[in-house]
Amino acid sequence: MRSGNLIIALGSLNADLTVHCERLPEPGETVPGHDFAVLPGGKSANQAVAAARLGAAVSLIGAVGEDAYGQMMLDAVAAAGVDVTHVRRVPGGTGVALISVDARGENSIIISAGANAAMVPGMIRPELFEGTGVLCLCLEIPVGTVLAAAQTARAAGVLVLLNFSPSPGNADAAAAQAVLGVTDVLLVNEHEAMDLLGYDPAKDWSEAHLGFRRLGVDRVVVTLGPGGSVVLDSGLGAPERVPAHSVSSAGAVDTTGAGDAFTGTVASVLADGGDLLAAAQRAAVVSALSVTKPGAQSSYPDAQEVAAAVEKLAEESGA
Ligand code: RIB
């Protein structure tokens, strides 16, 4: 029984220290870059902002440091309409991500957890989930906390949406798999899917669906970058392919946070009572728009921009 339509994103906030360059450096190589920018990021903060821009009621639970980046993150997320009452300020530094973006918009990212590591299981209390319809999780905070949140929210009738990203290291793999047992909807990219299943899901999507079900989740979206996504859900009967969109002839400027835009959009559609296929279709439009601008949160569209893009895509396809 769902208890409300609030979305809670529980997890990470990072300051994204970003430089664009022609091409990403090889190990040991130095390459010149363009201007340096500090942008608001972190997977959970991004997911929260993406959903809020689309009109959803969203609360973020997380931690930032007592530094200037912490205040920047709180201000940015609150300005997007996200409730930050449950974002704590803790001693030390805010999480940071060192991001390089090449001329094709592809990125490489190194994260330093900072305050995100202060998210401990003891913080998770059932009262946090009152009035909540969807809990949105990722793996950028300690996995024991993700598990405690999923278990507590599930017990309260909240739909648990897990973005299995970044892929956990070996030490956390068993705990991360335990989260799948209390997950209602799983979002993974092709690499994360391969890590979980141990084989390429694209070889046979029905077999991959069985594999995910054995891991404990029936409803899964596997994102494939320019290949769109595949929705696996027993309610659909068979795997459904959702095409990717291109909304700009200029191509991608920056793919940073496109997966988070996808996840936040899926959360917003599910919180609104929509189904997973409809959620993946809308998320394809939102993530296509997000790659046309620099940064993660700074690139996310509002509902009006999405409506205009949907209309344009319909015209182009002659619908
Ligand atoms: O998914 C993109 C995000 O990953 C960035 O905003 C960065 O902070 C890292 O968490």
Side-chain angles (χ1 to χ4, degrees):
M1 178 71 73
R2 300 259 305 277
S3 47
N5 63 0
L6 175 70
I7 296 169
I8 287 185
L10 187 146
S12 59
L13 301 91
N14 293 328
D16 287 354
L17 314 188
T18 308
V19 178
H20 285 243
C21 51
E22 273 314 294
R23 64 175 180 82
L24 302 176
E26 301 292 334
E29 190 186 19
T30 301
V31 298
H34 303 294
D35 288 346
F36 167 69
V38 182
L39 299 168
K43 292 189 190 304
S44 300
N46 295 346
Q47 293 164 7
V49 168
R53 286 256 165 79
L54 298 174
V58 188
S59 178
L60 178 63
I61 300 179
V64 292
E66 287 169 342
D67 53 359
Y69 290 156
Q71 193 58 51
M72 177 200 86
M73 286 305 307
L74 284 169
D75 292 347
V77 174
V82 175
D83 171 28
V84 293
T85 310
H86 297 291
V87 180
R88 288 190 189 176
R89 295 204 79 164
V90 299
T94 298
V96 294
L98 304 181
I99 304 183
S100 316
V101 184
D102 74 12
R104 295 169 305 151
E106 296 297 336
N107 62 50
S108 75
I109 303 180
I110 301 175
I111 51 174
S112 173
N116 296 311
M119 297 283 293
V120 292
M123 291 169 65
I124 306 301
R125 303 180 315 277
E127 313 86 79
L128 289 172
F129 302 109
E130 274 167 21
T132 304
V134 176
L135 171 65
C136 206
L137 295 167
C138 69
L139 298 178
E140 249 181 7
I141 59 165
V143 68
T145 309
V146 177
L147 180 58
Q151 288 169 330
T152 307
R154 233 325 173 71
V158 175
L159 184 139
V160 176
L161 171 63
L162 173 65
N163 177 211
F164 202 82
S165 181
S167 264
N170 288 341
D172 287 330
Q177 290 220 1
V179 183
L180 297 177
V182 278
T183 292
D184 296 292
V185 175
L186 174 67
L187 302 186
V188 281
N189 66 26
E190 56 212 300
H191 308 290
E192 293 148 4
M194 220 176 296
D195 287 346
L196 274 171
L197 296 171
Y199 53 85
D200 180 358
K203 280 189 184 152
D204 183 337
W205 287 109
S206 296
E207 182 57 36
H209 191 197
L210 266 180
F212 284 121
R213 291 179 64 188
R214 280 190 210 105
L215 290 171
V217 204
D218 179 48
R219 292 194 282 163
V220 182
V221 183
V222 182
T223 56
L224 305 168
S229 66
V230 175
V231 182
L232 308 171
D233 179 347
S234 291
L236 291 172
E240 284 272 359
R241 173 78 72 154
V242 175
H245 298 296
S246 175
V247 295
S248 157
S249 53
V253 170
D254 185 353
T255 55
T256 306
D260 302 328
F262 196 100
T263 300
T265 308
V266 169
S268 74
V269 174
L270 296 180
D272 226 15
D275 63 31
L276 192 55
L277 182 58
Q281 287 163 338
R282 188 162 170 81
V285 179
V286 173
S287 52
L289 285 164
S290 78
V291 305
T292 63
K293 293 181 187 162
Q297 294 168 33
S298 47
S299 70
Y300 295 163
D302 63 20
Q304 274 182 327
E305 291 168 276
V306 177
V310 167
E311 203 173 308
K312 185 165 168 256
L313 289 165
E315 274 167 20
E316 283 168 4
S317 71

mmCIF file of all heavy atoms in Angstrom, residues 14 16 41-43 46 97 99 109 111 140 256-257 260 296, ligand 1:
data_model
loop_
_atom_site.group_PDB
_atom_site.id
_atom_site.type_symbol
_atom_site.label_atom_id
_atom_site.label_comp_id
_atom_site.label_asym_id
_atom_site.label_seq_id
_atom_site.Cartn_x
_atom_site.Cartn_y
_atom_site.Cartn_z
ATOM 1 N N ASN A 14 27.342 16.014 -4.175
ATOM 2 C CA ASN A 14 28.747 16.316 -4.490
ATOM 3 C C ASN A 14 28.872 17.667 -5.173
ATOM 4 O O ASN A 14 27.975 18.067 -5.934
ATOM 5 C CB ASN A 14 29.335 15.301 -5.490
ATOM 6 C CG ASN A 14 29.476 13.906 -4.923
ATOM 7 O OD1 ASN A 14 29.722 13.732 -3.741
ATOM 8 N ND2 ASN A 14 29.305 12.914 -5.781
ATOM 9 N N ASP A 16 30.651 19.169 -8.154
ATOM 10 C CA ASP A 16 31.268 18.621 -9.370
ATOM 11 C C ASP A 16 32.338 19.588 -9.883
ATOM 12 O O ASP A 16 32.017 20.649 -10.436
ATOM 13 C CB ASP A 16 30.202 18.388 -10.454
ATOM 14 C CG ASP A 16 29.319 17.188 -10.128
ATOM 15 O OD1 ASP A 16 29.604 16.479 -9.146
ATOM 16 O OD2 ASP A 16 28.339 16.972 -10.877
ATOM 17 N N GLY A 41 26.209 18.640 -7.925
ATOM 18 C CA GLY A 41 26.034 17.283 -8.442
ATOM 19 C C GLY A 41 25.833 16.289 -7.321
ATOM 20 O O GLY A 41 25.370 16.623 -6.234
ATOM 21 N N GLY A 42 26.232 15.056 -7.585
ATOM 22 C CA GLY A 42 25.953 13.947 -6.669
ATOM 23 C C GLY A 42 24.698 13.247 -7.153
ATOM 24 O O GLY A 42 23.689 13.895 -7.441
ATOM 25 N N LYS A 43 24.763 11.924 -7.257
ATOM 26 C CA LYS A 43 23.653 11.219 -7.917
ATOM 27 C C LYS A 43 22.296 11.478 -7.259
ATOM 28 O O LYS A 43 21.305 11.729 -7.943
ATOM 29 C CB LYS A 43 23.948 9.717 -7.959
ATOM 30 C CG LYS A 43 25.110 9.389 -8.874
ATOM 31 C CD LYS A 43 25.279 7.915 -9.100
ATOM 32 C CE LYS A 43 26.594 7.642 -9.802
ATOM 33 N NZ LYS A 43 26.762 8.363 -11.081
ATOM 34 N N ASN A 46 21.144 15.026 -7.792
ATOM 35 C CA ASN A 46 20.739 15.170 -9.200
ATOM 36 C C ASN A 46 19.352 14.565 -9.433
ATOM 37 O O ASN A 46 18.501 15.160 -10.103
ATOM 38 C CB ASN A 46 21.736 14.468 -10.122
ATOM 39 C CG ASN A 46 23.119 15.101 -10.103
ATOM 40 O OD1 ASN A 46 23.295 16.203 -9.602
ATOM 41 N ND2 ASN A 46 24.103 14.397 -10.648
ATOM 42 N N ALA A 97 33.337 15.515 -6.801
ATOM 43 C CA ALA A 97 33.552 14.680 -7.982
ATOM 44 C C ALA A 97 34.488 15.447 -8.915
ATOM 45 O O ALA A 97 34.227 16.620 -9.213
ATOM 46 C CB ALA A 97 32.231 14.388 -8.679
ATOM 47 N N ILE A 99 35.578 15.810 -12.494
ATOM 48 C CA ILE A 99 34.935 15.405 -13.756
ATOM 49 C C ILE A 99 35.657 16.016 -14.946
ATOM 50 O O ILE A 99 35.899 17.223 -14.996
ATOM 51 C CB ILE A 99 33.448 15.843 -13.769
ATOM 52 C CG1 ILE A 99 32.718 15.258 -12.547
ATOM 53 C CG2 ILE A 99 32.776 15.409 -15.068
ATOM 54 C CD1 ILE A 99 31.231 15.567 -12.498
ATOM 55 N N ILE A 109 34.848 10.306 -14.258
ATOM 56 C CA ILE A 109 34.539 10.887 -12.947
ATOM 57 C C ILE A 109 35.263 10.116 -11.850
ATOM 58 O O ILE A 109 35.256 8.878 -11.843
ATOM 59 C CB ILE A 109 33.012 10.827 -12.660
ATOM 60 C CG1 ILE A 109 32.215 11.548 -13.751
ATOM 61 C CG2 ILE A 109 32.695 11.416 -11.286
ATOM 62 C CD1 ILE A 109 30.700 11.537 -13.551
ATOM 63 N N ILE A 111 35.160 10.146 -7.621
ATOM 64 C CA ILE A 111 34.481 10.779 -6.482
ATOM 65 C C ILE A 111 35.260 10.566 -5.196
ATOM 66 O O ILE A 111 35.900 9.533 -4.994
ATOM 67 C CB ILE A 111 33.021 10.292 -6.310
ATOM 68 C CG1 ILE A 111 32.917 8.775 -6.304
ATOM 69 C CG2 ILE A 111 32.120 10.880 -7.346
ATOM 70 C CD1 ILE A 111 31.527 8.259 -6.003
ATOM 71 N N GLU A 140 26.034 5.606 -3.841
ATOM 72 C CA GLU A 140 27.125 6.558 -3.584
ATOM 73 C C GLU A 140 27.281 6.874 -2.102
ATOM 74 O O GLU A 140 28.033 7.784 -1.744
ATOM 75 C CB GLU A 140 26.902 7.846 -4.382
ATOM 76 C CG GLU A 140 27.918 8.017 -5.480
ATOM 77 C CD GLU A 140 27.740 9.291 -6.285
ATOM 78 O OE1 GLU A 140 26.906 10.147 -5.936
ATOM 79 O OE2 GLU A 140 28.436 9.409 -7.296
ATOM 80 N N THR A 256 27.175 14.198 -18.387
ATOM 81 C CA THR A 256 27.207 14.070 -16.925
ATOM 82 C C THR A 256 25.794 14.193 -16.339
ATOM 83 O O THR A 256 25.085 15.161 -16.608
ATOM 84 C CB THR A 256 28.094 15.173 -16.301
ATOM 85 O OG1 THR A 256 29.374 15.134 -16.918
ATOM 86 C CG2 THR A 256 28.231 14.981 -14.795
ATOM 87 N N GLY A 257 25.403 13.202 -15.562
ATOM 88 C CA GLY A 257 24.115 13.274 -14.873
ATOM 89 C C GLY A 257 22.928 12.877 -15.734
ATOM 90 O O GLY A 257 21.787 12.974 -15.271
ATOM 91 N N ASP A 260 21.102 10.175 -14.059
ATOM 92 C CA ASP A 260 20.346 10.661 -12.897
ATOM 93 C C ASP A 260 19.062 11.365 -13.341
ATOM 94 O O ASP A 260 18.028 11.276 -12.662
ATOM 95 C CB ASP A 260 21.206 11.619 -12.070
ATOM 96 C CG ASP A 260 22.495 10.957 -11.611
ATOM 97 O OD1 ASP A 260 22.484 9.735 -11.376
ATOM 98 O OD2 ASP A 260 23.522 11.660 -11.522
ATOM 99 N N ALA A 296 25.238 18.618 -14.602
ATOM 100 C CA ALA A 296 24.155 17.687 -14.289
ATOM 101 C C ALA A 296 22.888 18.491 -13.985
ATOM 102 O O ALA A 296 22.096 18.774 -14.897
ATOM 103 C CB ALA A 296 24.574 16.794 -13.122
HETATM 104 O O1 RIB B 1 25.921 10.768 -12.184
HETATM 105 C C1 RIB B 1 26.646 11.958 -12.243
HETATM 106 C C2 RIB B 1 27.138 12.312 -10.882
HETATM 107 O O2 RIB B 1 28.059 11.333 -10.468
HETATM 108 C C3 RIB B 1 27.897 13.623 -10.823
HETATM 109 O O3 RIB B 1 27.065 14.730 -10.545
HETATM 110 C C4 RIB B 1 28.942 13.358 -9.758
HETATM 111 O O4 RIB B 1 28.776 14.117 -8.601
HETATM 112 C C5 RIB B 1 28.874 11.873 -9.461
HETATM 113 O O5 RIB B 1 28.205 11.647 -8.292
#
